[in-house]
Amino acid sequence: MGVPTLGCHCAVCESKDPLDKRTRPSVLLAYGSRNVVIDTTPDFRLQAMRSRMDRLDAVIYTHGHADHILGLDDIRPFNLKQKSAIPLYAAEPTLAALRRQFAYIFDHSPTESLVPGVELHTIDGPFELFGITIVPVTVLHGKQPVLGFRFGKAAYLTDFIRVPEASKKLLYGLDDLILDALRYVPHPTHSNVEQSLALVGELRPKRAWFTHICHDLGHAETNAQLPKNVRLAYDGLQFGVEL
Ligand SMILES: [Zn+2]
Ligand SMILES: [Zn+2]
Ligand SMILES: [Zn+2]
């Protein structure tokens, strides 16, 4: 829902610490001259401005929930600037959600308005994207399978409660693991701090970054409780990755 959460006056929502301001979860992979974004959140426009993103080469989707797709309309300036459609990569159920939520993009009825230009690609296994390999990692978001992604020595797993054994095999030897840790209290579809720490203990990445954090977790006081190699991610966090 973002932090501050609308209408909430808890200590984290009222915090003056900029690290307690959280837009919806997304990642920009910048390599060579390419910019690839994971998910187009409702905050996509603000996030792209903040990172001074001058072009967009592709979007990869984890799943079709509103907090991960609703910024798609804001890719239009890149369509205009680059004079091309933007490739979107997603598993079939996520492509179906995009077609449903953004019917105006796909119904091909004549319009006087500019609609996003997109090219859909189905993810059904590891794929090459501008010279690197993106490995999809199936995780369970409640009962729903959604995708995380491994790229080189890093992986991004947002929105999951459980990682199946077959997927864990794809997640060893990481330098950086970015993973869901919604709050301390258990949740039916999201991993909490305790569950995520257990997964970090099992997979043993060099560093872990918690994301998809709600207003239950204050940045400074939560970090003080975590092991040194596990930190809360924050808006604008950047680091290098061996691809
Ligand atoms: Zn709050
Ligand atoms: Zn979700
Ligand atoms: Zn989400």
Side-chain angles (χ1 to χ4, degrees), residues 181-240:
L182 185 73
R183 60 189 191 189
Y184 289 115
V185 180
H187 185 278
T189 63
H190 286 275
S191 186
N192 68 1
V193 170
E194 190 187 343
Q195 292 161 325
S196 294
L197 283 175
L199 186 63
V200 169
E202 203 177 333
L203 299 176
R204 303 221 162 272
K206 285 189 186 149
R207 289 168 294 272
W209 304 95
F210 286 170
T211 190
H212 216 297
I213 307 154
C214 86
H215 61 162
D216 291 13
L217 305 184
H219 190 85
E221 65 262 34
T222 307
N223 267 344
Q225 305 292 319
L226 293 172
K228 279 279 168 284
N229 67 328
V230 181
R231 300 286 90 188
L232 295 195
Y234 53 86
D235 279 53
L237 168 67
Q238 296 186 20
F239 55 84

Side-chain angles (χ1 to χ4, degrees), residues 63 65 67-68 141 159 190 212:
H63 65 305
H65 282 167
D67 53 331
H68 297 260
H141 188 20
D159 293 55
H190 286 275
H212 216 297

Side-chain angles (χ1 to χ4, degrees), residues 14-156:
E14 296 280 349
S15 164
K16 298 276 182 285
D17 184 348
L19 299 175
D20 280 323
K21 311 286 180 226
R22 300 179 184 127
T23 57
R24 269 54 74 87
S26 177
V27 166
L28 165 62
L29 300 176
Y31 56 100
S33 58
R34 304 296 191 170
N35 287 328
V36 175
V37 161
I38 303 183
D39 293 335
T40 50
T41 80
D43 303 311
F44 169 73
R45 179 172 173 275
L46 289 173
Q47 293 165 334
M49 283 197 291
R50 185 187 59 208
S51 61
R52 307 186 66 81
M53 200 175 83
D54 276 345
R55 57 177 292 123
L56 175 62
D57 294 284
V59 181
I60 306 171
Y61 284 99
T62 58
H63 65 305
H65 282 167
D67 53 331
H68 297 260
I69 67 172
L70 286 186
L72 175 59
D73 195 75
D74 286 323
I75 69 167
R76 293 177 300 152
F78 297 111
N79 290 139
L80 289 174
K81 186 176 179 189
Q82 297 163 210
K83 299 185 175 56
S84 68
I86 309 286
L88 311 183
Y89 292 81
E92 196 46 63
T94 306
L95 292 177
L98 291 171
R99 288 193 196 94
R100 196 167 60 241
Q101 297 283 0
F102 294 94
Y104 65 93
I105 299 179
F106 301 101
D107 67 8
H108 301 296
S109 53
T111 172
E112 294 180 313
S113 306
L114 177 69
V115 302
V118 300
E119 203 180 78
L120 300 187
H121 298 266
T122 307
I123 298 177
D124 50 13
F127 60 100
E128 296 292 310
L129 196 55
F130 312 120
I132 69 164
T133 303
I134 308 283
V135 180
V137 179
T138 299
V139 292
L140 291 169
H141 188 20
K143 293 192 180 68
Q144 183 192 352
V146 308
L147 294 182
F149 299 102
R150 177 170 183 157
F151 28 95
K153 296 266 206 173
Y156 180 65

